[in-house]
Every structure is written in structure tokens, then in C-alpha cells.
Amino acid sequence: MKVVKFGGSSLASGVQVEKVFNIVTADPDRKVVVVSAPGKRYPDDIKVTDLLIACAEQVLETGDGGEYFDTVIQRYTSIANELGLSNEIIEIISDDLLKLLADRSKDSAHFIESVKASGEDNNAKLVAAYFKSRGLEAEYVNPKEAGLLVSDEPGSAQVLPEAYDSLYELRKRSGILVIPGFFGYTEKGDIVTFSRSGSDITGSILANGVKADVYENFTDVNAVCSVNPGIVENPKEIRELTYREMRELSYAGFSVFHDEALMPAFHAGIPVHVRNTNNPDAPGTRIVSERKNTNGPVVGIASDKGFCSIYVSKYLMNREIGFGRKLLQILEEYQLSYEHLPSGIDDISIILRQDQMSFLFEKEILQRIKNELEADEVKIQHNLSLIMVVGEGMRCNVGTMSRAAKALATSGVNIEMINQGSSEVSMMFGVKEADEKRAVQSLYNEFFARVIA
């Protein structure tokens, strides 16, 4: 059995939905189909999810969804018309959305959750209706009916362990099951969404729940690339990588998956196959628990901007018991989470996403660290980019760090910070945001483009 997930771009129009139908029917093992809300049809288009969020916010403010409601319904109507479906499905979708917008029994957070989740929910109804119109045995399955229970954390729900037993029962159903991604239900019956890109999470949860042989994730790229194609033209495609490598790359800016999306599939040991809806014959990328390291020490390079670093120096810091705890406690009091903590004998750097920091309390934090910890020096550096060089092969390969540092030096990029995890699967470099693109290009040339004699 295969669980197949299709992203918003794969379902943005009737033409795309027809491609989805052909893909699903091409393989009898594709039994569970997870769908996103309709995405962009062209670069300046607006995703249905974004329209729904704006609609919900306008209803809270004025009591009327107005043009946002009309635009959402027009999007579904356009898809249905392209597919030759009757008005019945549009009436179902329209009535559902009107009912959600009229329900003011929820607090504002849960109200917005239920409205924005309707993008996936109603698209699943439309896709199931089209499959049935083509003579396929298919049915729409609501996540509540499937038993997809989640924690009550709007926008960042977590699946509850007991959900998996209920989801396994889906194996007993016949035909194609079309299930909306992005959301589940709390034990109280409220709709709560995962983080954005949450349909990937739903697919991963369902793959775990039904004990699928493979989780196929169809998107709009032929494969996962070794580096951002916006930085390096025509980068090498990755044919196979491990979950650990994918998580490292996703954390550092890879846009193929949210960095938590694959964890349910990973825990069940289910391979993930990334494929292209528009080119289903392309080999794609397989994400597995283990792989043979046959492609050199590095499998991919990712980067992300928007970081800052708080540098703290104190002589004999290493002998002071509780220094780190007291430092992190100050950050905790300001509700700040850190990303990395590279350190030396007498100094430590705290890497944070700088959008957490407010200028109003930035000086206060620095002053508290200096006074309460009696630090010799405390300073902050803004506008950093973190570059992650990732590969399981680095564990058994000598000189990878040296090659990376030399490549950056040759291209004139100053390294502000270096950190390597104990797993030895990744190396992280901090550079100024202005140097990010040049740094990534130089690292790619070193590990992927340079021919070694």
C-alpha cells in the first residue's frame, strides 16, 4: 500500500487534478490520497489558504467575508468546470464555508483554524467527486472520521499517539481514500492545523498509521536538488538521502519539506519518494533510513538568513558551574529560543532567529547578561546567514572541514562562526547575509562541480 500526497501546485487547476487522477490510477497500490488546498496557478496568483485566512480575519473584524468568500468559491468553481463536474459539488463547498463563517461559538483562534483548514477539506471533496465521476471507486474521508486526533495547539498541532490505532483501520476500506491534509481534530472536536506545509505532515502521519510500504510526495520539482536552484543554476539532483540529512537540510532552508514533516514516517521506517506531478516518469528522490555513501562526503548544501548572534566572553568561564544555565534562563524569561550554542573555553555564542528580538529589550538582555553573569564582554551581531553542509559521508571522510573553509576563504567570505554537531552529519557556517550567495556557490563548486584529478 502507498500513501500519496499532492501539494497545492499539483491541484491548482482542473488540468492539474486530471494529472493527479492519471498518477493515482497508474498504480493500484496507491490507496490513500492526501490533498492540499489549491495553490498558485501562476507566480502572482494567491493560494486558497491565504484567501481563507484573509476571509476569516475580515469576518472577525466586520462580520462579512465579502470578496474573499467569492474569490474562494470562484477558484473551486473554475476547477470543477474544467473537470466537467456538476454544480452539486460547488453547492456543497459553498454551504460548508458559509456554515463555518457563521459559527461564532469558537474563540477567534479556533475560528480561523476551522476556516483555513476548509481549503484542504473542500478540495478533498472535489477531488473525490472527480474520481467517482471517472468511474473510480473513491470516497472522501474526513480526518475526524479517520481518527486523526491532535493536540490543541492552533497552527502547530501534534498528532496524539492513540491516533495511529484508528488510522490503521483505514486499511480495511476498499477503493481510493481521499483525505484532506493540514489538520486534525482535538479530543473536544475542534479543528486544529499543523504548521504551514502541514499536508506533508498529514501524509507522513497516515503513512505511519496505515503502515504503508512507501509514502509518495508529489510536488512540482523532479527531485530534491543538492542546493537552492535560485543560487546555483542547474544544480545536481539528489537520488537518495537519509531522513537525518533531509531534516538537517530542511532546517537550514530547503523548501521541499518542513523540517518536522517526515518524522512520523521516519519513526515507522517508511521510505519517502519525492516525485513530480508534471513529470511522473522522472526518478525523483528517495528518503530512507540508511543509504550507501557513494556520492562523496556531501549530499547537499542549504542556507537561511535572519539570524543574530549574542557573543559572551568571560575568563575561566569553563570552571564556573551553572554559567550556561543562568545564561539560558535570561533568554527563557524573554521567551527566546536559541538555535545553536557554539562555545570555547572562555566564550560562548548564542544563535537566535533575530525576528524574536525586539530593540526595546535587546539592550536590556545584553546588560543583564553582562551584570548578572559578570561577563567581560557581551555583544550582538545582526544579519547573519547560516549555511549547512550536510552528508552522512562526512563521518568517515577526512578533510571535509578543511575543504569547506578553504573554498570560503578563496571566494573572500569571512567565517563568523563554525559549529559541527556530534552526529558529524552536518557542518554549520555563519556568514554575513551579504556573503550568503557567494558562500553557497563556492561550497557547491568545491563539493559538486570541481573535478578532482
Side-chain angles (χ1 to χ4, degrees):
M1 175 183 283
K2 294 180 180 180
V3 171
V4 195
K5 177 262 174 181
F6 293 94
S9 61
S10 300
L11 298 158
S13 67
V15 171
Q16 291 299 103
V17 174
E18 189 169 0
K19 291 178 184 178
V20 168
F21 173 83
N22 292 331
I23 289 169
V24 171
T25 54
D27 187 341
D29 288 335
R30 291 170 178 148
K31 294 292 188 181
V32 179
V33 178
V34 179
V35 302
S36 298
K40 292 184 177 183
R41 296 160 293 183
Y42 43 85
D44 295 331
D45 200 9
I46 303 175
K47 297 179 180 179
V48 164
T49 299
D50 292 328
L51 291 169
L52 287 165
I53 292 171
C55 182
E57 291 173 344
Q58 183 166 298
V59 168
L60 288 174
E61 184 178 344
T62 68
D64 181 20
E67 62 182 21
Y68 290 116
F69 172 84
D70 294 337
T71 304
V72 169
I73 299 303
Q74 286 169 7
R75 287 292 303 275
Y76 287 113
T77 301
S78 173
I79 295 171
N81 288 341
E82 286 181 57
L83 297 172
L85 293 175
S86 68
N87 288 333
E88 181 182 358
I89 186 62
I90 298 304
E91 290 173 3
I92 291 172
I93 292 172
S94 181
D95 289 346
D96 175 78
L97 185 51
L98 284 172
K99 188 181 296 183
L100 290 171
L101 294 174
D103 183 5
R104 302 306 302 276
S105 63
K106 302 178 177 67
D107 60 71
S108 59
H110 286 92
F111 173 78
I112 292 175
E113 289 287 274
S114 63
V115 174
K116 73 179 180 181
S118 71
E120 277 74 13
D121 196 39
N122 284 321
N123 210 31
K125 296 171 187 174
L126 189 152
V127 170
Y130 178 63
F131 281 10
K132 285 189 282 189
S133 77
R134 294 287 301 271
L136 195 66
E137 183 186 359
E139 64 173 315
Y140 155 79
V141 180
N142 183 274
K144 187 175 186 178
E145 177 190 354
L148 183 46
L149 291 174
V150 298
S151 60
D152 194 358
E153 301 173 84
S156 57
Q158 301 291 315
V159 63
L160 299 183
E162 55 266 35
Y164 290 111
D165 290 336
S166 299
L167 294 173
Y168 187 75
E169 295 298 307
L170 294 173
R171 290 184 65 98
K172 298 177 181 179
R173 299 198 184 191
S174 62
I176 305 297
L177 308 181
V178 184
I179 303 176
F182 190 36
F183 72 97
Y185 283 80
T186 68
E187 292 176 305
K188 293 181 179 179
D190 291 324
I191 291 174
V192 183
T193 66
F194 300 113
S195 57
R196 290 300 289 263
S197 301
S199 291
D200 291 330
I201 300 174
T202 301
S204 186
I205 291 169
L206 284 166
N208 182 317
V210 302
K211 302 303 178 222
D213 298 308
V214 177
Y215 167 33
E216 292 185 312
N217 192 297
F218 279 83
T219 180
D220 56 2
V221 296
N222 280 338
V224 177
C225 291
S226 54
V227 72
N228 183 350
I231 296 179
V232 175
E233 188 175 356
N234 298 320
K236 180 181 178 182
E237 293 180 350
I238 303 172
R239 290 286 166 253
E240 191 173 66
L241 72 166
T242 66
Y243 283 106
R244 190 194 302 270
E245 290 169 332
M246 189 71 229
R247 175 157 164 73
E248 295 274 4
L249 290 168
S250 296
Y251 162 77
F254 260 43
S255 59
V256 176
F257 287 109
H258 185 279
D259 63 332
E260 298 176 10
L262 301 183
M263 293 311 292
F266 164 70
H267 289 311
I270 296 168
V272 177
H273 197 175
V274 181
R275 307 185 69 175
N276 190 347
T277 304
N278 302 312
N279 185 17
D281 293 329
T285 299
R286 285 176 56 84
I287 304 169
V288 296
S289 296
E290 295 181 0
R291 68 176 178 87
K292 294 181 180 179
N293 297 313
T294 58
N295 62 335
V298 176
V299 72
I301 302 166
S303 62
D304 199 10
K305 61 183 61 176
F307 294 91
C308 65
S309 171
I310 299 177
Y311 172 80
V312 183
S313 175
K314 184 178 182 182
Y315 183 58
L316 298 181
M317 178 193 296
N318 64 310
R319 297 188 184 182
E320 188 172 333
I321 296 173
F323 185 90
R325 173 184 56 78
K326 288 183 282 188
L327 175 59
L328 294 179
Q329 186 171 336
I330 293 174
L331 298 183
E332 183 180 350
E333 290 176 15
Y334 290 88
Q335 297 295 300
L336 297 176
S337 62
Y338 71 91
E339 303 291 324
H340 302 277
L341 280 175
S343 63
I345 298 174
D346 295 324
D347 51 33
I348 186 169
S349 293
I350 312 155
I351 311 303
L352 311 94
R353 292 192 180 272
Q354 65 186 16
D355 58 7
Q356 298 181 93
M357 298 287 284
S358 165
F359 181 75
L360 296 175
F361 60 72
E362 182 179 298
K363 289 186 176 180
E364 183 179 326
I365 291 172
L366 299 183
Q367 195 62 48
R368 282 191 60 185
I369 293 173
K370 186 169 182 62
N371 294 342
E372 295 176 25
L373 276 63
E374 299 179 342
D376 299 326
E377 183 181 10
V378 181
K379 61 183 180 181
I380 188 167
Q381 184 176 7
H382 293 98
N383 302 321
L384 293 176
S385 288
L386 298 186
I387 299 172
M388 200 78 78
V389 179
V390 177
E392 298 270 8
M394 289 193 291
R395 290 175 171 175
C396 52
N397 195 283
V398 177
T400 307
M401 177 68 78
S402 174
R403 289 176 62 186
K406 183 178 179 181
L408 293 173
T410 301
S411 63
V413 174
N414 184 53
I415 301 173
E416 305 292 330
M417 172 192 61
I418 297 177
N419 192 28
Q420 182 171 27
S422 57
S423 68
E424 298 184 59
V425 173
S426 65
M427 298 181 300
M428 185 193 72
F429 298 93
V431 303
K432 290 183 173 64
E433 285 186 0
D435 294 331
E436 176 186 346
K437 186 173 182 179
R438 184 153 42 99
V440 171
Q441 289 170 337
S442 66
L443 290 168
Y444 180 84
N445 289 335
E446 173 63 32
F447 291 106
F448 293 99
R450 189 166 68 90
V451 177
I452 301 175

